[in-house]
Structure formats: structure tokens, C-alpha cells
């Protein structure tokens, strides 16, 4: 009987903690992020975590909330920084392309053919190799790649080197197949 009574009190206790601490949590998150909307969303995440897995001692909830809001805030800032860097990199690449002369029709066909070969080769690699190479190409650090692949950061360099070797080997094989097929078609078209 006592367990059921405690279960009924938990929501009221949570509501009380929410009312007492929400403004302070949101204010600290705004100070950290500089974004009101993000601070509100992150504050809700803090209290969702509190609801799902409260600290053992609720009298220490203030310290728990501070640690949690700090982690959530810094995670948000890291993600925002990473997204901003990727956007800037992509914008710079598009700007560089648009500033240069427009490629000829032949150059576009060759570029599209090369992209198709790379896509086919990437599909032939293992998921881990493909993911590692794509993350590195997008500018992720070795540490970020290690986290994403769930491997020790010390092996990322070796993992990438081996993946690049496999990519080069398969690319060469694919290019030979494509060139061989094209040369045969060219010969037939020329009546040879």
C-alpha cells in the first residue's frame, strides 16, 4: 500500500521541483547558449531527465540540475558549432565552384561518371570503412569518428588508412572494368 502512495506523490513532487527550479535552469541555459528558444527547449530536456531518472537524494536536486544543465548546454553548443562548420564548408565549396568558370559539357560528363564510380565503390566497402571515410571527408576529427564508430580513438588513423587503401584498390578495379567496357563499345561504334 505504501508503494502505491509514493507513486502517486512522485508527479506532485516533480511538479513542485519544476516550479521551484525551472526559471533558474532556463536562465542559466540562456546565459550559456545566448538563445532564448534553445534555452527553453534545453530546460525541458533537463526536467525530462529529472523525471525519468531523479537523483537518489532529492535534497541535492540543485547540484544535480546544475550538472545536467551544464552537460546538456555544452552538448548543444558542440552540436551547433559542428553544424555551423559543416554549413560554412559547404557554402565555401559552392562559392568556389560558382566563382570559377562553368565546366564544359565534357568535363561535367566526366565528373558525373567519376562520382558514379566512387558511389559504386563506396557501396562495396564495409559499413565501417564507408562511414569512417565519409565522416573524415566531412571534416570530423578522429575523436568524433571514434565516438561515431564506437572504437578507440587511437586506432582511427590506422582504420582510415586501411579504408583508403581498400577504396583505392576497388576504385582501380572499377575504373578498369568501366574503361574496358567503354573501349569495347568505342571499338564497336567505330566499326573495328
Amino acid at each position: 500500500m505504501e508503494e502505491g502512495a509514493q507513486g502517486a506523490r512522485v508527479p506532485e513532487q516533480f511538479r513542485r521541483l519544476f516550479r521551484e527550479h525551472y526559471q533558474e535552469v532556463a536562465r542559466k541555459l540562456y546565459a550559456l547558449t545566448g538563445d532564448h528558444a534553445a534555452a527553453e527547449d534545453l530546460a525541458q530536456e533537463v526536467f525530462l531527465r529529472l523525471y525519468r531518472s531523479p537523483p537518489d537524494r532529492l535534497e541535492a536536486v540543485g547540484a544535480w540540475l546544475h550538472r545536467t544543465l551544464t552537460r546538456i548546454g555544452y552538448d548543444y553548443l558542440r552540436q551547433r558549432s559542428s553544424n555551423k562548420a559543416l554549413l560554412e564548408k559547404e557554402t565555401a565549396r559552392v562559392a568556389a565552384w560558382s566563382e570559377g568558370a562553368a565546366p564544359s559539357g565534357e568535363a561535367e560528363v566526366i565528373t558525373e561518371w567519376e562520382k558514379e564510380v566512387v558511389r559504386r565503390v563506396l557501396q562495396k566497402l564495409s559499413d565501417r570503412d564507408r562511414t569512417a571515410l565519409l565522416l573524415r571527408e566531412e571534416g570530423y576529427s578522429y575523436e568524433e569518428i571514434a565516438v561515431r564508430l564506437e572504437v578507440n580513438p587511437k586506432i582511427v588513423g590506422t582504420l582510415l588508412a586501411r579504408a583508403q587503401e581498400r577504396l583505392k584498390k576497388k576504385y582501380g578495379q572499377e575504373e578498369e572494368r568501366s574503361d574496358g567496357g567503354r573501349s569495347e563499345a568505342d571499338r564497336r561504334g567505330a566499326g573495328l
Side-chain angles (χ1 to χ4, degrees):
M1 184 80 172
E2 187 175 314
E3 190 174 323
Q6 177 146 350
R9 280 197 318 256
V10 170
E12 179 52 42
Q13 190 174 30
F14 174 77
R15 280 187 234 133
R16 182 182 56 77
L17 291 171
F18 183 85
R19 283 190 304 268
E20 287 176 14
H21 297 280
Y22 180 81
Q23 290 301 323
E24 181 183 359
V25 168
R27 191 171 41 256
K28 287 179 180 179
L29 283 164
Y30 173 71
L32 189 60
T33 64
D35 182 339
H36 283 290
E40 294 287 328
D41 290 344
L42 297 173
Q44 290 177 18
E45 176 66 26
V46 169
F47 282 97
L48 185 60
R49 288 188 187 181
L50 174 64
Y51 186 77
R52 288 183 178 158
S53 55
D56 293 334
R57 294 182 13 219
L58 283 178
E59 60 272 4
V61 75
W64 185 95
L65 287 169
H66 183 75
R67 275 192 314 277
T68 304
L69 79 85
T70 302
R71 282 188 202 121
I72 288 174
Y74 281 121
D75 287 347
Y76 169 80
L77 291 173
R78 272 191 293 277
Q79 170 118 20
R80 187 173 73 178
S81 174
S82 176
N83 290 344
K84 184 179 176 186
L86 286 174
L87 179 62
E88 287 173 358
K89 185 177 179 180
E90 186 62 25
T91 303
R93 188 166 60 182
V94 168
W97 181 83
S98 64
E99 288 174 6
S104 68
E106 182 181 347
E108 282 186 39
V109 169
I110 291 171
T111 301
E112 283 305 311
W113 175 77
E114 288 173 341
K115 286 180 183 176
E116 183 55 37
V117 171
V118 170
R119 281 187 202 105
R120 283 196 308 261
V121 170
L122 281 171
Q123 289 306 313
K124 292 179 180 180
L125 293 176
S126 70
D127 286 342
R128 186 168 91 164
D129 285 353
R130 182 174 46 253
T131 302
L133 290 171
L134 291 173
L135 290 173
R136 188 63 184 156
E137 179 63 26
E138 290 178 11
Y140 284 79
S141 69
Y142 281 20
E143 291 81 18
E144 292 169 320
I145 293 170
V147 168
R148 196 76 173 267
L149 296 177
E150 297 176 352
V151 298
N152 185 332
K154 293 177 183 177
I155 70 162
V156 171
T158 303
L159 190 145
L160 283 168
R162 290 179 181 164
Q164 286 173 333
E165 283 303 312
R166 286 189 278 272
L167 177 73
K168 287 177 188 175
K169 182 179 178 184
K170 290 184 184 291
Y171 184 85
Q173 293 168 348
E174 189 69 29
E175 206 170 41
E176 285 174 17
R177 275 191 221 122
S178 297
D179 285 345
R182 205 168 7 156
S183 298
E184 183 65 33
D186 290 344
R187 278 181 269 186
R188 275 187 255 137
L192 298 175

